[in-house]
Amino acid sequence: MSALRNYLNRIKPNFEEGGKLHALHSLFDGFETFLYVPNKTARNGVHIHDAIDSKRIMSMVVIALMPALLFGMYNIGYQNYTAAGTIENAGFFELFFFGFFAVLPKILVSYIVGLGIEFAWAQWKGEEIQEGFLVSGILIPMIIPVNCPLWILAIAVAFAVIIGKEIFGGTGMNIFNPALICRAFLFFAYPSMMSGDKVWVADEQIFGLGNTLVDGFTQATPLATVGQGTNPVEAGTSLCDMICGFIPGSIGETSVVAIALGALLLLITGIASWKTMLSVFVGGALTACLFEQTGSTPIPWYEHLALGGFAFGAVFMATDPVTSARTETGKWIYGLLIGIMAIVIRVMNPGYPEGMMLAILLMNMFAPTIDHFVVERNIAKRMKRGGTK
């Protein structure tokens, strides 16, 4: 590593002011600070020093996403071979690499388009490259169906970065979660690519792997059967399959076990708020229980928490430190409302069985308001204790 550090120090003057490559200063700075902690220090004011910076936080979130991503790759192969009726003849690596080669182009498109826009934006404004897309770039491929065309994905990523993030001022200033903005754009602009029963199983052959399915093959998600008033268990999907993730769905959202591993890492490292995470599940469970008691949903409350993007959204989307509530009391309120709204949308609108995306985006909008009233309430209580009127 010292050789790399020395090499960077040697070429760094070329990218500084007056250097022949100064126009690429933002690109060099982004690459350097990704590899090494910046050595810049504050010249005035009081600052708190910490051993971790935002790039390291983003990197830890990416690591936490790996179990869900890797399982999602395996599940893509599993669903393809199961649909074709050849699962008995397929080994683990055959299933995994089929999914790996199906997902890899989507990851590359997401990062190439997203980071390309981030680099161009930073160069245009003469600013440092912001690190927020390190997480968004991997989240976006994980919350889309496997059959989403690459050109549509590229358009959605560009929309999410420009409209959902950069026009607000970049990382730390955006109101809405960029990955969910991307999914919302896809859902409303290209609904046939994001819903229905033809987008969840990869119908292709990749390097001789996989099976090309018969024309007209369809495969509904368990959550879609709920929207039709049927319990997925009655349709042949066990609760174990729902929890483990052996069901059709978006690439990274199916396995509660894999998501829980990522949640554990985020909680141990203190990166995600356990209050936000827990309150989403509590709000969802209470609301699902209420609908179950009134007979408004064909499944028990705990199946709602295991299906669709509920667990993934609670762990990786609702806890986004930029777009979620930041006060401690606000985190409870914010999470509870997300859980409540997600189940209400699912049950009350059978045509749109997955409500997590809209619930989080809606609460992203109200998070600053929640924090405002929490702060005002705390100020009023302190003034009352101090005898100030």
Side-chain angles (χ1 to χ4, degrees):
M1 293 300 290
S2 60
L4 178 59
R5 178 69 269 179
N6 292 336
Y7 175 74
L8 292 176
N9 289 337
R10 187 165 64 253
I11 66 174
K12 187 173 184 176
N14 296 321
F15 296 91
E16 295 177 343
E17 189 172 356
K20 59 183 179 180
L21 298 177
H22 179 253
L24 300 177
H25 170 73
S26 297
L27 181 61
F28 177 84
D29 181 77
F31 180 73
E32 182 187 28
T33 54
F34 178 79
L35 294 174
Y36 297 96
V37 176
N39 60 0
K40 299 176 183 178
T41 58
R43 295 181 179 275
N44 50 42
V46 179
H47 297 267
I48 299 174
H49 293 269
D50 201 311
I52 190 168
D53 64 2
S54 55
K55 282 189 175 63
R56 272 67 197 172
I57 292 175
M58 298 295 177
S59 299
M60 190 61 66
V61 176
V62 171
I63 294 173
L65 285 164
M66 285 299 105
L69 176 62
L70 294 176
F71 179 85
M73 293 176 176
Y74 174 82
N75 189 47
I76 289 171
Y78 179 85
Q79 295 301 323
N80 175 273
Y81 280 80
T82 300
T86 58
I87 187 66
E88 296 82 4
N89 303 322
F92 171 84
F93 289 105
E94 191 172 0
L95 300 179
F96 175 79
F97 280 110
F98 174 80
F100 174 82
F101 288 118
V103 176
L104 182 60
K106 293 175 173 55
I107 296 176
L108 292 177
V109 167
S110 177
Y111 274 118
I112 290 172
V113 174
L115 290 179
I117 294 173
E118 294 253 3
F119 290 165
W121 198 280
Q123 288 294 141
W124 174 50
K125 298 182 67 176
E127 298 176 350
E128 295 181 358
I129 294 173
Q130 299 169 343
E131 59 278 355
F133 201 78
L134 287 176
V135 173
S136 298
I138 197 70
L139 277 174
I140 289 172
M142 295 177 69
I143 58 176
I144 63 173
V146 65
N147 281 337
C148 179
L150 296 181
W151 68 271
I152 291 180
L153 177 61
I155 294 174
V157 170
F159 178 88
V161 174
I162 297 173
I163 305 300
K165 180 180 176 182
E166 295 299 347
I167 64 171
F168 290 102
T171 301
M173 305 295 291
N174 50 293
I175 300 174
F176 301 103
N177 185 296
L180 287 177
I181 287 291
C182 180
R183 182 183 172 108
F185 176 85
L186 286 168
F187 182 81
F188 292 109
Y190 302 97
S192 63
M193 295 293 103
M194 290 296 292
S195 58
D197 52 7
K198 297 182 180 180
V199 299
W200 308 108
V201 178
D203 181 14
E204 56 187 326
Q205 284 191 331
I206 305 174
F207 300 120
L209 299 173
N211 302 271
T212 301
L213 307 180
V214 297
D215 292 340
F217 174 83
T218 60
Q219 177 69 62
T221 65
L223 201 55
T225 64
V226 175
Q228 298 167 2
T230 303
N231 190 323
V233 174
E234 298 174 2
T237 301
S238 68
L239 178 61
C240 182
D241 287 336
M242 300 178 198
I243 295 175
C244 294
F246 296 105
I247 56 177
S250 294
I251 292 169
E253 293 181 342
T254 62
S255 176
V256 177
V257 175
I259 294 168
L261 292 176
L264 184 62
L265 177 60
L266 294 180
L267 294 176
I268 291 176
T269 56
I271 291 175
S273 168
W274 67 269
K275 296 178 181 178
T276 302
M277 203 180 295
L278 176 62
S279 59
V280 173
F281 284 103
V282 171
L286 292 176
T287 308
C289 280
L290 178 61
F291 280 121
E292 182 184 358
Q293 293 302 314
T294 60
S296 301
T297 176
I299 62 175
W301 63 270
Y302 49 83
E303 288 187 18
H304 272 291
L305 308 187
L307 290 177
F310 193 95
F312 192 89
V315 172
F316 296 110
M317 300 294 193
T319 57
D320 177 12
V322 175
T323 59
S324 67
R326 304 187 185 189
T327 57
E328 295 306 308
T329 302
K331 292 175 182 178
W332 286 109
I333 299 171
Y334 174 80
L336 281 170
L337 290 175
I338 288 177
I340 292 170
M341 289 301 301
I343 302 302
V344 167
I345 294 171
R346 282 185 179 183
V347 177
M348 301 301 291
N349 183 7
Y352 182 61
E354 175 58 86
M356 201 60 176
M357 175 189 73
L358 293 181
I360 296 176
L361 286 175
L362 178 64
M363 294 316 301
N364 282 169
M365 185 168 57
F366 285 101
T369 304
I370 293 172
D371 283 339
H372 170 77
F373 282 108
V374 170
V375 171
E376 289 297 314
R377 178 176 176 274
N378 289 340
I379 292 174
K381 289 175 63 177
R382 291 186 180 184
M383 294 178 67
K384 185 177 181 179
R385 286 199 301 266
T388 303
K389 296 184 180 179

